[in-house]
Amino acid sequence: MALAGEYAAMCNQTLIMTKPGVTLKKTLSGAPVPSKRVCFSALKLKNYHKARLGVKAVTQIEVGSTATTEGSRDLKGLEGTLELDLVSEGELREKGFMGLRKTKLVCTIGPACCSLEELERLALEGMNVARLNMCHNTREWHLDVIRKIKKLNDKGYCVAVMIDTEGSQINVVDHGAPSSVKAEDGSIWHFTAEKFDGSRPLTVQASREGFSEGDEVVIDGGMATFEVVEKIGNDLRCKCTDSGLLLPRAKLSFWRDGELVRGNYELPTLSAKDWSDIEFGVSEGVDFIAVSFVKDAEAIRHLKSHLSTKSAKLAKVLAKIECVESLQKLQEIVEASDGVMIARGDLGVEIPLEQIPSMQEKIIEVCRHLNKPAIVASQLLESMIQYPTPTRAEVADVSEAVRQYADAVMLSGESAVGSYGQKALSVLRTTSSRMESWGREESMQAHLNQSKLRLSLSDRIAEQICNCAAEMANNLGLDAIFVYTRHGEMASLLSGNRPNPPIFAFTSDRGARMALSLQWGVTPLLIDLSDDMEANTEKTISLIKTKGLIKEGDTVLVISDVIPSCATQTLLFQSIQVKTVA
Ligand SMILES: Nc1ncnc2c1ncn2[C@@H]1O[C@H](COP(=O)(O)OP(=O)(O)O)[C@@H](O)[C@H]1O
Ligand SMILES: C=C(OP(=O)(O)O)C(=O)O
Ligand SMILES: [K+]
Ligand SMILES: [Mg+2]
């Protein structure tokens, strides 16, 4: 009764309420819809001639056996097309509803996987999002990859594109060798911002003003360490104090008296190059923009408001959590963004490595509560850059991210430059699928409810619907959840409950479909939605049945948050129904 009471008190709208189990008679376009008694909630609202009664919001909770494909309704006008990607369709045919993988897979694209054939192999292997790290390679190269992915999507794949900004970091630009070089203990190196001609050159980006003698220079979070022995103008003369490898684009951090020197973070979150890369990404219609070294919510808000003036299709903005400031302002950053990447590479430079697993779990949990996807990134299968099998520890790391309910896991060098990118992706896929099914078998996924973080009534109703829907779907052992959603909001909200059955999100918005590629457990499908929810449901079930993907006796839970376009602006139609395919 809580929902009904709250609803009536706060909304002051006309409501139709009956006792539990009593069904209001109604017709929808003249078609009788049989409904059964359901011991589910004290509230049972029906879509009851809302226009006549002046009802602004209708919540319908209905459980019934409905002849969905044949018989009860005139299917004229219900023909249409349904875009389900090739890979999900194959997975569904082969393994059934419960075989659909929940954890999404992101691959960094680099020279090792940028041909059309290689990209297609990754798509077939389950890549949901292709990441382009703007730190590397040319504009033309990135453009070529984006165009190839569009080509694959035209063939029936559904791969979203993410660009990842370079951000303000100090990188090795040139260390005088084509690949990695070893720095020996006690050897002397020069760090310069200029092209350097002398011996042991190390050309690094950004100015090192403010750094002083005695500072420690740490390469790639500990691959090698140097001490600044002398400042010569704007250059630094450094002695290697801990030998190790210098990779071509290694990252540098400066430490003084055991504390990180924040000099490089005084640079803006988005540099002129980042803005130019973002313009490029927007003009190419990328789906996600991941912002490096986010320090507060302001940079994210600024970028989002900039994007909203740019084009109709809004790229989603992901905040990379990779510095201490982003941990300190985690909540506000997650709230402002459309999701996060837990960028463990740089994060591991800033906080002790042993803190990363617990920090990762905390970030994922904050994201789940705020209904934002979280990607776990960096070094998941690092050894596979060189070797065809992962270490046991790497497999355990991937499993842990899945157990923590990350929305997605990501490959970096493993796919970009590694010799076994496709195999690494297959390891991610099989490891996450196994962990997911084990979680279900052991009932570890029971009832992850949304907490009441949302403030508006309609948001809280949506949240309650998702809580109920997930609980019903799990308890009743339903086959699938169908969500009808214009902007993807309801589907992503439901994903937060991490229900057992797969979530099929039907949307007529291409951008919303792509954005859902990153959301745990959601298979996004493109379809024309009408204002008639019954018609939408019947049309989709009919089309899926025609494809042979759903059969008589399968049970689906149907949820909608579609706002009919013909209705008043404020009219909301939110419902839960259980349908048995006839
Ligand atoms: N577009 C690209 N072109 C060339 N090399 C790339 C590209 N993207 C990634 N790489 C390589 O893959 C490695 C891992 O990728 P990533 O984790 O994105 O970068 P980084 O190590 O710079 O943080 C990079 O160090 C770089 O060597
Ligand atoms: C993913 C990361 O960011 P980038 O590769 O851009 O440094 C990271 O630091 O882990
Ligand atoms: K980057
Ligand atoms: Mg980083």
Side-chain angles (χ1 to χ4, degrees):
M1 212 46 191
L3 179 60
E6 182 176 65
Y7 199 89
M10 299 183 63
C11 209
N12 197 20
Q13 289 172 348
T14 313
L15 285 176
I16 310 143
M17 267 183 269
T18 70
K19 288 184 197 139
V22 177
T23 307
L24 283 167
K25 274 196 199 129
K26 64 123 195 192
T27 56
L28 221 173
S29 324
V33 180
S35 293
K36 276 185 192 163
R37 186 198 138 91
V38 51
C39 295
F40 167 65
S41 159
L43 173 70
K44 201 167 168 89
L45 294 172
K46 300 293 285 184
N47 178 18
Y48 197 70
H49 297 296
K50 37 188 186 284
R52 187 159 57 86
L53 290 168
V55 176
K56 278 189 178 167
V58 175
T59 299
Q60 169 183 325
I61 299 173
E62 175 185 330
V63 172
S65 243
T66 312
T68 50
T69 47
E70 284 101 21
S72 76
R73 280 180 66 87
D74 176 8
L75 290 180
K76 245 186 268 142
L78 296 186
E79 54 284 308
T81 53
L82 181 77
E83 278 185 41
L84 170 62
D85 70 280
L86 291 174
V87 178
S88 303
E89 185 172 334
E91 209 169 38
L92 191 55
R93 271 186 213 290
E94 193 190 329
K95 300 178 191 153
F97 288 114
M98 284 302 167
L100 280 174
R101 172 174 41 82
K102 314 278 193 184
T103 312
K104 300 304 176 79
L105 308 176
V106 183
C107 299
T108 301
I109 309 303
C113 62
C114 61
S115 73
L116 188 64
E117 297 69 31
E118 285 156 338
L119 289 167
E120 181 159 16
R121 281 200 285 274
L122 291 177
L124 267 173
E125 201 61 70
M127 167 171 67
N128 300 103
V129 180
R131 167 182 178 254
L132 293 168
N133 189 348
M134 305 315 274
C135 286
H136 308 291
N137 235 314
T138 60
R139 176 72 50 91
E140 293 66 39
W141 183 89
H142 290 291
L143 179 63
D144 179 57
V145 172
I146 295 174
R147 298 272 161 92
K148 283 172 183 158
I149 289 166
K150 279 189 188 154
K151 232 183 234 172
L152 291 177
N153 288 343
D154 289 341
K155 263 175 86 173
Y157 294 95
C158 180
V159 178
V161 176
M162 176 202 299
I163 58 166
D164 187 326
T165 63
E166 183 161 340
S168 313
Q169 51 186 324
I170 305 181
N171 269 103
V172 172
V173 176
D174 179 8
H175 54 34
S179 59
S180 55
V181 284
K182 181 136 193 251
E184 304 286 356
D185 245 349
S187 59
I188 298 290
W189 295 71
H190 290 271
F191 289 31
T192 176
E194 312 298 325
K195 195 83 187 152
F196 196 79
D197 294 325
S199 61
R200 297 200 189 287
L202 193 62
T203 309
V204 298
Q205 271 174 353
S207 145
R208 288 154 318 292
E209 266 171 59
F211 301 119
S212 55
E213 283 169 26
D215 283 355
E216 243 193 341
V217 183
V218 178
I219 308 291
D220 274 342
M223 281 278 258
T225 307
F226 294 83
E227 188 192 315
V228 178
V229 287
E230 193 185 354
K231 278 186 80 172
I232 311 162
N234 205 19
D235 294 350
L236 304 174
R237 206 165 91 88
C238 299
K239 186 171 90 182
C240 180
T241 49
D242 192 2
S243 70
L245 276 188
L246 300 177
L247 299 177
R249 299 274 310 181
K251 284 168 205 158
L252 281 71
S253 56
F254 287 75
W255 296 72
R256 188 174 304 151
D257 303 325
E259 300 248 346
L260 195 67
V261 179
R262 301 246 143 239
N264 48 332
Y265 299 128
E266 280 153 24
L267 299 166
T269 305
L270 290 165
S271 67
K273 171 167 187 297
D274 293 338
W275 280 111
S276 148
D277 287 338
I278 288 167
E279 293 303 319
F280 158 73
V282 168
S283 69
E284 287 305 310
V286 300
D287 304 289
F288 297 101
I289 298 168
V291 181
S292 294
F293 294 103
V294 173
K295 295 183 286 271
D296 54 38
E298 197 37 50
I300 299 290
R301 282 196 284 263
H302 181 50
L303 175 57
K304 280 182 69 94
S305 84
H306 170 79
L307 292 176
S308 67
T309 62
K310 288 305 265 189
S311 72
K313 185 195 156 181
L314 283 187
K316 299 284 177 187
V317 176
L318 306 177
K320 289 172 71 184
I321 307 298
E322 53 184 341
C323 58
V324 169
E325 289 91 335
S326 61
L327 292 175
Q328 287 161 344
K329 297 189 174 165
L330 183 65
Q331 183 89 11
E332 63 163 67
I333 290 172
V334 177
E335 275 170 23
S337 65
D338 299 310
V340 309
M341 183 194 293
I342 306 167
R344 305 184 305 181
D346 284 292
L347 194 57
V349 175
E350 300 228 346
I351 64 169
L353 292 184
E354 64 274 16
Q355 288 181 17
I356 288 186
S358 54
M359 201 49 81
Q360 176 181 308
E361 180 150 14
K362 183 183 154 194
I363 299 168
I364 294 170
E365 189 62 4
V366 170
C367 287
R368 195 178 66 75
H369 279 296
L370 290 168
N371 183 29
K372 307 287 168 79
I375 307 168
V376 173
S378 294
Q379 297 187 346
L380 280 106
L381 298 171
E382 186 80 357
S383 76
M384 289 191 81
I385 294 176
Q386 282 172 301
Y387 301 105
T389 54
T391 66
R392 280 59 179 156
E394 285 166 345
V395 172
D397 180 41
V398 176
S399 301
E400 177 62 1
V402 174
R403 191 199 59 76
Q404 292 175 348
Y405 296 115
D407 287 82
V409 285
M410 187 175 113
L411 296 179
S412 296
E414 301 92 330
S415 50
V417 287
S419 314
Y420 307 97
Q422 205 189 317
K423 197 153 182 235
L425 186 58
S426 152
V427 171
L428 278 193
R429 188 170 48 74
T430 50
T431 303
S432 47
S433 293
R434 182 66 205 115
M435 192 62 195
E436 289 163 10
S437 60
W438 188 61
R440 281 195 300 273
E441 284 154 21
E442 299 293 313
S443 302
M444 293 190 296
Q445 285 186 204
H447 311 319
L448 280 174
N449 276 344
Q450 308 276 345
S451 56
K452 295 190 174 15
L453 289 171
R454 288 158 194 90
L455 293 179
S456 82
L457 179 67
S458 70
D459 283 352
R460 280 160 57 204
I461 291 172
E463 186 179 273
Q464 288 301 318
I465 286 181
C466 290
N467 286 344
C468 295
E471 198 169 335
M472 275 175 83
N474 289 356
N475 290 349
L476 297 173
L478 302 181
D479 293 300
I481 303 176
F482 284 12
V483 186
Y484 297 84
T485 174
R486 290 235 196 264
H487 307 293
E489 184 65 20
M490 195 70 162
S492 79
L493 192 57
L494 182 63
S495 161
N497 289 86
R498 306 295 196 247
N500 286 342
I503 301 164
F504 290 86
F506 299 96
T507 178
S508 40
D509 182 327
R510 280 180 190 275
R513 181 191 186 202
M514 285 319 213
L516 288 169
S517 313
L518 205 48
Q519 211 103 35
W520 188 98
V522 177
T523 303
L525 297 94
L526 197 67
I527 192 167
D528 275 337
L529 290 178
S530 76
D531 290 343
D532 179 349
M533 269 311 301
E534 295 286 330
N536 287 332
T537 317
E538 291 194 17
K539 174 163 110 176
T540 43
I541 292 182
S542 162
L543 287 168
I544 293 182
K545 202 177 172 194
T546 309
K547 280 177 178 271
L549 296 169
I550 197 169
K551 58 181 190 317
E552 201 179 315
D554 284 345
T555 47
V556 293
L557 189 136
V558 179
I559 306 180
S560 83
D561 74 339
V562 172
I563 302 166
S565 51
C566 64
T568 59
Q569 290 290 311
T570 50
L571 192 133
L572 212 60
F573 186 97
Q574 294 166 307
S575 76
I576 303 180
Q577 299 174 46
V578 176
K579 300 224 174 217
T580 306
V581 178

mmCIF file of all heavy atoms in Angstrom, residues 16 28 75 166 255 260 304 334 367 403-404 443 463 497 542:
data_model
loop_
_atom_site.group_PDB
_atom_site.id
_atom_site.type_symbol
_atom_site.label_atom_id
_atom_site.label_comp_id
_atom_site.label_asym_id
_atom_site.label_seq_id
_atom_site.Cartn_x
_atom_site.Cartn_y
_atom_site.Cartn_z
ATOM 1 N N ILE A 16 -7.290 5.135 -9.640
ATOM 2 C CA ILE A 16 -8.259 4.049 -9.605
ATOM 3 C C ILE A 16 -7.604 2.949 -8.806
ATOM 4 O O ILE A 16 -6.563 2.448 -9.196
ATOM 5 C CB ILE A 16 -8.560 3.551 -11.026
ATOM 6 C CG1 ILE A 16 -8.900 4.748 -11.918
ATOM 7 C CG2 ILE A 16 -9.670 2.529 -11.024
ATOM 8 C CD1 ILE A 16 -8.381 4.593 -13.297
ATOM 9 N N LEU A 28 -9.126 -1.984 -24.050
ATOM 10 C CA LEU A 28 -8.103 -1.156 -24.684
ATOM 11 C C LEU A 28 -8.302 -1.360 -26.174
ATOM 12 O O LEU A 28 -8.180 -2.460 -26.664
ATOM 13 C CB LEU A 28 -6.731 -1.657 -24.257
ATOM 14 C CG LEU A 28 -5.672 -0.610 -23.941
ATOM 15 C CD1 LEU A 28 -4.466 -1.277 -23.385
ATOM 16 C CD2 LEU A 28 -5.382 0.289 -25.096
ATOM 17 N N LEU A 75 -3.921 -7.909 -35.740
ATOM 18 C CA LEU A 75 -2.502 -7.578 -35.853
ATOM 19 C C LEU A 75 -2.202 -6.640 -37.029
ATOM 20 O O LEU A 75 -1.053 -6.343 -37.313
ATOM 21 C CB LEU A 75 -1.663 -8.859 -35.981
ATOM 22 C CG LEU A 75 -1.598 -9.709 -34.716
ATOM 23 C CD1 LEU A 75 -0.739 -10.940 -34.953
ATOM 24 C CD2 LEU A 75 -1.041 -8.920 -33.544
ATOM 25 N N GLU A 166 42.877 12.489 -24.327
ATOM 26 C CA GLU A 166 44.268 12.359 -23.906
ATOM 27 C C GLU A 166 44.445 12.898 -22.488
ATOM 28 O O GLU A 166 45.120 12.299 -21.664
ATOM 29 C CB GLU A 166 45.151 13.128 -24.888
ATOM 30 C CG GLU A 166 46.611 12.996 -24.594
ATOM 31 C CD GLU A 166 47.474 13.359 -25.793
ATOM 32 O OE1 GLU A 166 46.990 13.343 -26.932
ATOM 33 O OE2 GLU A 166 48.651 13.646 -25.565
ATOM 34 N N TRP A 255 57.133 12.719 -7.523
ATOM 35 C CA TRP A 255 56.879 12.567 -6.097
ATOM 36 C C TRP A 255 57.901 13.369 -5.290
ATOM 37 O O TRP A 255 59.068 13.458 -5.666
ATOM 38 C CB TRP A 255 56.975 11.081 -5.693
ATOM 39 C CG TRP A 255 55.921 10.232 -6.351
ATOM 40 C CD1 TRP A 255 55.859 9.872 -7.665
ATOM 41 C CD2 TRP A 255 54.766 9.660 -5.724
ATOM 42 N NE1 TRP A 255 54.732 9.107 -7.903
ATOM 43 C CE2 TRP A 255 54.042 8.951 -6.724
ATOM 44 C CE3 TRP A 255 54.260 9.650 -4.421
ATOM 45 C CZ2 TRP A 255 52.870 8.271 -6.460
ATOM 46 C CZ3 TRP A 255 53.082 8.966 -4.161
ATOM 47 C CH2 TRP A 255 52.396 8.290 -5.173
ATOM 48 N N LEU A 260 52.653 12.691 -3.985
ATOM 49 C CA LEU A 260 52.556 12.974 -5.412
ATOM 50 C C LEU A 260 52.590 14.486 -5.627
ATOM 51 O O LEU A 260 51.886 15.228 -4.933
ATOM 52 C CB LEU A 260 51.228 12.403 -5.920
ATOM 53 C CG LEU A 260 51.061 12.257 -7.414
ATOM 54 C CD1 LEU A 260 52.010 11.195 -7.967
ATOM 55 C CD2 LEU A 260 49.621 11.846 -7.705
ATOM 56 N N LYS A 304 28.948 18.336 -20.951
ATOM 57 C CA LYS A 304 27.577 17.900 -21.276
ATOM 58 C C LYS A 304 26.737 19.078 -21.782
ATOM 59 O O LYS A 304 25.969 18.935 -22.728
ATOM 60 C CB LYS A 304 26.914 17.230 -20.072
ATOM 61 C CG LYS A 304 27.379 15.780 -19.914
ATOM 62 C CD LYS A 304 26.701 15.083 -18.773
ATOM 63 C CE LYS A 304 25.238 14.839 -19.032
ATOM 64 N NZ LYS A 304 24.961 13.523 -19.591
ATOM 65 N N VAL A 334 29.944 11.044 -10.370
ATOM 66 C CA VAL A 334 29.063 10.004 -10.921
ATOM 67 C C VAL A 334 27.693 10.608 -11.243
ATOM 68 O O VAL A 334 27.122 10.354 -12.299
ATOM 69 C CB VAL A 334 28.932 8.801 -9.959
ATOM 70 C CG1 VAL A 334 27.966 7.765 -10.513
ATOM 71 C CG2 VAL A 334 30.289 8.148 -9.715
ATOM 72 N N CYS A 367 27.928 3.659 -8.555
ATOM 73 C CA CYS A 367 27.371 3.753 -9.908
ATOM 74 C C CYS A 367 26.046 2.999 -10.020
ATOM 75 O O CYS A 367 25.097 3.483 -10.624
ATOM 76 C CB CYS A 367 28.349 3.200 -10.937
ATOM 77 S SG CYS A 367 29.732 4.289 -11.218
ATOM 78 N N ARG A 403 31.850 -10.357 -10.266
ATOM 79 C CA ARG A 403 31.193 -10.588 -8.983
ATOM 80 C C ARG A 403 30.776 -9.258 -8.340
ATOM 81 O O ARG A 403 29.746 -9.168 -7.702
ATOM 82 C CB ARG A 403 32.129 -11.348 -8.026
ATOM 83 C CG ARG A 403 31.437 -11.864 -6.766
ATOM 84 C CD ARG A 403 32.416 -12.187 -5.655
ATOM 85 N NE ARG A 403 33.222 -11.053 -5.232
ATOM 86 C CZ ARG A 403 32.793 -10.039 -4.467
ATOM 87 N NH1 ARG A 403 31.550 -10.015 -4.037
ATOM 88 N NH2 ARG A 403 33.604 -9.046 -4.157
ATOM 89 N N GLN A 404 31.584 -8.236 -8.565
ATOM 90 C CA GLN A 404 31.260 -6.908 -8.026
ATOM 91 C C GLN A 404 30.164 -6.213 -8.848
ATOM 92 O O GLN A 404 29.810 -5.092 -8.564
ATOM 93 C CB GLN A 404 32.521 -6.032 -8.006
ATOM 94 C CG GLN A 404 33.571 -6.498 -7.006
ATOM 95 C CD GLN A 404 34.860 -5.661 -7.107
ATOM 96 O OE1 GLN A 404 35.056 -4.894 -8.043
ATOM 97 N NE2 GLN A 404 35.742 -5.816 -6.132
ATOM 98 N N SER A 443 22.449 -18.326 -6.102
ATOM 99 C CA SER A 443 21.501 -17.280 -5.664
ATOM 100 C C SER A 443 22.207 -16.110 -4.992
ATOM 101 O O SER A 443 21.734 -15.562 -4.012
ATOM 102 C CB SER A 443 20.469 -17.834 -4.686
ATOM 103 O OG SER A 443 19.783 -18.869 -5.284
ATOM 104 N N GLU A 463 11.479 3.624 -10.004
ATOM 105 C CA GLU A 463 12.405 2.852 -9.174
ATOM 106 C C GLU A 463 11.671 1.689 -8.497
ATOM 107 O O GLU A 463 12.151 0.553 -8.477
ATOM 108 C CB GLU A 463 12.984 3.801 -8.126
ATOM 109 C CG GLU A 463 14.059 3.254 -7.264
ATOM 110 C CD GLU A 463 14.548 4.340 -6.303
ATOM 111 O OE1 GLU A 463 15.434 5.099 -6.695
ATOM 112 O OE2 GLU A 463 14.014 4.427 -5.181
ATOM 113 N N ASN A 497 19.059 -3.235 -10.879
ATOM 114 C CA ASN A 497 18.584 -4.296 -9.986
ATOM 115 C C ASN A 497 19.283 -5.625 -10.254
ATOM 116 O O ASN A 497 19.115 -6.577 -9.491
ATOM 117 C CB ASN A 497 17.071 -4.510 -10.156
ATOM 118 C CG ASN A 497 16.274 -3.359 -9.598
ATOM 119 O OD1 ASN A 497 16.041 -2.366 -10.286
ATOM 120 N ND2 ASN A 497 15.859 -3.466 -8.343
ATOM 121 N N SER A 542 5.342 -10.848 -31.476
ATOM 122 C CA SER A 542 5.068 -11.482 -32.761
ATOM 123 C C SER A 542 6.334 -11.523 -33.624
ATOM 124 O O SER A 542 6.670 -12.558 -34.220
ATOM 125 C CB SER A 542 3.946 -10.699 -33.456
ATOM 126 O OG SER A 542 3.932 -10.987 -34.808
#
